[in-house]
Amino acid sequence: MQENEVLKNIQYRRAVFQANYTDQEVSREDIMTILEAANAAPTHKRTQPWRFVIFRNEGLIRLGDELARIYKSVTPAEKYTEVTEQNMAKKATQSKAALAIIVDYSGDLPEWEELAATACAVENMWLASASLGIGGYWATPGLINHIGPFLNLKENQRCIGFFYMGHHDSEPREPVRSPIEDKIRWEE
């Protein structure tokens, strides 16, 4: 394992779910530090397409209520369960902060480039969170396809998920990855 702190942080970054979050609040200052890291992501033509809506405290309750409402309104009766509806709301309210991840398409670049840049911003955010002892994960429920009005998204914007966060006391664990040798081919 690498001794370099950046490489170590990359290697040990992992998803940390709400069941592992403590009651400790994620401060506005920590969120701003995390978002500054996101803002340092690479971006073609400096379009900087990432946007975030931050939910904390009562905002998490409103987000949870909206996710539950959307689930109930778009789920066919034969697939609907009250437990799933409650879990939609619970995921938000068990977090100490949630960030809606939004791509603001410029129209100047292929959409995949704007999406890739936003994904890089999320990875920076994830690494910054981990370095501050804040766990998180990127959730992409199908409900995000219906959340635009709630988030007041413009026509050129799309929500691509939520980054749920909270402090935790989980022990670091070895990452589960197949060897890099299985994923490369040398052409020399």
Side-chain angles (χ1 to χ4, degrees), residues 49-51 101-106 111 114-116 118-119 153 156-160:
W50 45 83
R51 302 289 184 273
I101 305 162
I102 299 161
V103 182
D104 187 62
Y105 294 106
S106 67
E111 286 188 5
E114 307 274 49
L115 183 59
T118 303
L153 298 185
N156 66 314
Q157 295 179 326
R158 191 175 82 211
C159 179
I160 60 169

Side-chain angles (χ1 to χ4, degrees), residues 18 21-27 31 53-69 85-100 137 147 150-151 162-167:
Q18 286 93 333
Y21 296 167
T22 67
D23 289 336
Q24 183 180 350
E25 180 179 300
V26 177
S27 70
I31 292 171
V53 177
I54 305 154
F55 295 91
R56 290 183 344 133
N57 306 317
E58 295 298 317
L60 290 167
I61 294 169
R62 287 190 301 277
L63 174 62
D65 289 347
E66 180 64 8
L67 290 171
R69 185 198 68 74
E85 179 184 350
Q86 291 169 354
N87 284 339
M88 287 296 154
K90 197 173 173 183
K91 282 185 179 183
T93 58
Q94 283 183 321
S95 300
K96 299 305 171 194
L99 283 65
Y137 75 98
I147 196 99
F150 176 76
L151 296 174
F162 293 97
F163 191 76
Y164 292 111
M165 300 189 309
H167 287 276

